[in-house]
């Protein structure tokens, strides 16, 4: 159990007619609270002892000062530049197992064994509107540096393990990217198109022989296309298509026979990728006739994953029943095409 508290102050300030500043300061505190058992580990991450804390007993406190500042500068009536900086503490972190057959994610809070992640992020962007602000465009870049990041060790034991913190390793990570967006927010036909190129990397001394490797959520290419069309006053159509590069994964690349047992030999951490993810969603909405009544409704007919893309959730490597020296890869996916009818009402 944990208790997170914070106090902050911020201010918006206009300097002249073109420059706007928004700056603030936040002080955050995270405290571990009993009941709970905390294990201590030796230099090899083996459990050495344990301490039990009773109910409502505070046993570890972290705190940090988090400044942030942002600015907007108007170049003219239709364009502007923006920039920001933030320094933050993250007291809850997600550790993701990248082995293909067990896509298991576990949240860890800061504790006597896990320090909060500390991040510094800078971002800047250029924004411009066209055709009397009916078309909006933007280009933004960012860089984020993180310390005290967590990840699972190689061949971590995750299921039914009371000493999960002993499976963690600690290091640094960083991410950067650029996003381009084109939006039409008004009119019968409206929507947006966005493309993001981003990378996320990690370097842990106790993982991957200390070599840099992609973070589990690294996805270089991401595309989103959203379109809405108001055919009549009562009927509208929507479509949404998304695409992203497959997530990094660790695959077995060989095998060894030890005492008659076949043991897989794995690649470097996150050296491979799942298949790319993409899908198309379609919907048609039938609106109620215009009325002054308080009760209002609409009826939505939708299709999720309209072309039945089998996006991979996990890949398991299984030995052939008749020949244990042959292995095949088996894909698991969760959802195919899903039609739906939704009735919405409010009063």
């Amino acid at each position: 159990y944990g208790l997170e508290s914070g106090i902050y102050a911020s201010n918006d300030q206009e300097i002249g007619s073109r420059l706007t500043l928004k700056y603030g300061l936040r002080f955050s505190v995270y405290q571990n609270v009993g009941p709970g058992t905390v294990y201590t580990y030796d230099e090899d991450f083996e459990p050495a002892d344990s301490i039990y804390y009773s109910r409502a007993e505070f046993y570890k406190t972290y705190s940090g000062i988090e400044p942030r500042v942002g600015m907007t500068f108007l170049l003219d009536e239709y364009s502007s530049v923006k920039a920001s900086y933030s320094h933050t503490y993250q007291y809850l972190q997600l550790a993701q197992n990248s082995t293909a057959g067990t896509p298991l994610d576990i949240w860890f809070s800061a504790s006597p064994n896990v320090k909060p992640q500390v991040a510094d992020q800078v971002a800047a962007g250029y924004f411009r509107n066209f055709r009397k602000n009916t078309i909006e465009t933007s280009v933004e870049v960012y860089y984020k540096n993180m310390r005290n990041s967590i990840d699972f060790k190689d061949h971590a034991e995750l299921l039914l393990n009371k000493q999960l913190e002993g499976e963690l390793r600690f290091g640094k990570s960083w991410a950067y990217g650029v996003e381009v967006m084109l939006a039409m927010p008004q009119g019968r036909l409206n929507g947006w198109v966005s493309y993001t190129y981003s990378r996320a990397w990690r370097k842990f001394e106790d993982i991957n022989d200390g070599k840099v490797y992609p973070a589990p959520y690294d996805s270089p290419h991401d595309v989103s296309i959203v379109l809405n069309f108001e055919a009549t006053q009562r009927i509208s159509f929507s479509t949404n298509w998304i695409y992203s590069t497959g997530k990094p994964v660790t695959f077995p690349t060989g095998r060894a026979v030890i005492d008659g047992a076949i043991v897989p030999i794995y690649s470097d951490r996150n050296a491979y990728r799942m298949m790319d993810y993409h899908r198309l969603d379609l919907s048609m909405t039938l609106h109620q006739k215009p009325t002054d009544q308080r009760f209002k409704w609409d009826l939505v007919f939708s299709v999720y994953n309209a072309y039945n893309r089998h996006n991979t959730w996990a890949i398991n490597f299984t030995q052939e029943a008749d020949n244990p020296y042959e292995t095949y890869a088996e894909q698991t996916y969760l959802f195919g095409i899903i039609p739906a009818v939704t009735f919405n009402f409010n009063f």
Side-chain angles (χ1 to χ4, degrees):
Y1 296 90
L3 175 66
E4 184 174 0
S5 309
I7 184 172
Y8 67 92
S10 64
N11 183 49
D12 291 354
Q13 183 174 351
E14 294 184 359
I15 302 176
S17 60
R18 292 177 177 267
L19 180 62
T20 301
L21 295 179
K22 183 174 183 178
Y23 49 89
L25 191 67
R26 183 174 186 267
F27 178 69
S28 61
V29 178
Y30 187 84
Q31 298 168 290
N32 294 114
V33 188
T37 300
V38 176
Y39 295 90
T40 59
Y41 300 90
D42 60 22
E43 59 184 10
D44 296 319
F45 297 94
E46 295 295 331
D49 199 357
S50 64
I51 304 174
Y52 177 79
Y53 294 96
S54 58
R55 180 178 177 83
E57 182 178 1
F58 291 84
Y59 57 89
K60 183 64 177 180
T61 299
Y62 290 101
S63 63
I65 297 176
E66 302 173 304
R68 59 207 59 195
V69 61
M71 78 91 177
T72 300
F73 185 77
L74 300 178
L75 299 174
D76 53 40
E77 184 180 359
Y78 299 107
S79 60
S80 64
V81 292
K82 299 179 182 180
S84 64
Y85 165 78
S86 65
H87 177 82
T88 56
Y89 288 77
Q90 184 174 332
Y91 300 106
L92 289 175
Q93 295 192 61
L94 182 66
Q96 299 172 281
N97 182 26
S98 61
T99 303
T102 55
L104 184 63
D105 302 342
I106 301 176
W107 286 96
F108 287 86
S109 70
S111 72
N113 298 308
V114 181
K115 295 180 180 180
Q117 181 174 256
V118 183
D120 293 280
Q121 177 169 303
V122 293
Y126 174 71
F127 301 78
R128 182 172 178 82
N129 297 346
F130 297 91
R131 294 189 177 181
K132 298 181 179 180
N133 295 326
T134 58
I135 298 178
E136 301 175 355
T137 63
S138 64
V139 179
E140 295 183 85
V141 296
Y142 72 92
Y143 179 85
K144 187 175 184 178
N145 183 62
M146 293 156 280
R147 303 180 298 279
N148 302 332
S149 300
I150 65 173
D151 205 343
F152 289 120
K153 70 174 187 179
D154 296 329
H155 315 299
E157 297 290 336
L158 304 181
L159 299 178
L160 304 177
N161 186 350
K162 294 182 179 180
Q163 292 93 31
L164 272 176
E165 289 183 339
E167 305 297 306
L168 294 177
R169 299 297 183 265
F170 309 93
K172 62 181 181 180
S173 56
W174 59 96
Y176 53 86
V178 55
E179 178 179 286
V180 181
M181 186 172 185
L182 170 68
M184 298 186 300
Q186 305 172 12
R188 292 178 60 188
L189 177 64
N190 59 78
W192 71 86
V193 178
S194 69
Y195 167 74
T196 301
Y197 175 80
S198 62
R199 300 306 310 265
W201 301 95
R202 289 180 173 175
K203 181 175 174 57
F204 289 48
E205 293 302 324
D206 299 308
I207 296 177
N208 205 44
D209 295 326
K211 296 181 293 185
V212 173
Y213 63 94
Y217 46 82
D218 176 67
S219 181
H221 303 286
D222 187 282
V223 179
S224 295
I225 301 175
V226 177
L227 293 175
N228 306 298
F229 178 66
E230 297 177 6
T232 68
Q233 191 174 19
R234 296 190 60 195
I235 298 176
S236 61
F237 298 90
S238 296
T239 181
N240 171 57
W241 185 77
I242 59 175
Y243 165 89
S244 62
T245 307
K247 295 295 189 292
V249 67
T250 305
F251 279 154
T253 57
R255 71 182 74 192
V257 179
I258 302 176
D259 295 331
I262 299 176
V263 179
I265 299 174
Y266 285 88
S267 67
D268 288 347
R269 177 65 62 95
N270 293 343
Y272 291 85
R273 289 187 180 273
M274 294 288 195
M275 289 182 289
D276 293 346
Y277 181 99
H278 55 87
R279 76 168 199 270
L280 174 69
D281 304 330
L282 303 171
S283 69
M284 184 190 79
T285 302
L286 175 64
H287 303 279
Q288 181 188 24
K289 291 182 179 180
T291 177
D292 295 332
Q293 296 178 357
R294 296 181 60 184
F295 182 87
K296 300 181 184 299
W297 60 266
D298 57 58
L299 189 62
V300 182
F301 303 89
S302 61
V303 179
Y304 174 90
N305 194 10
Y307 51 77
N308 198 30
R309 166 72 174 179
H310 293 175
N311 289 301
T312 306
W313 180 71
I315 294 180
N316 290 283
F317 291 84
T318 305
Q319 295 178 0
E320 287 282 3
D322 298 332
N323 186 355
Y325 292 97
E326 290 189 6
T327 303
Y328 66 91
E330 184 177 66
Q331 172 187 273
T332 300
Y333 70 94
L334 297 182
F335 300 107
I337 184 171
I338 302 178
V341 179
T342 306
F343 180 72
N344 302 310
F345 64 91
N346 58 77
F347 55 91

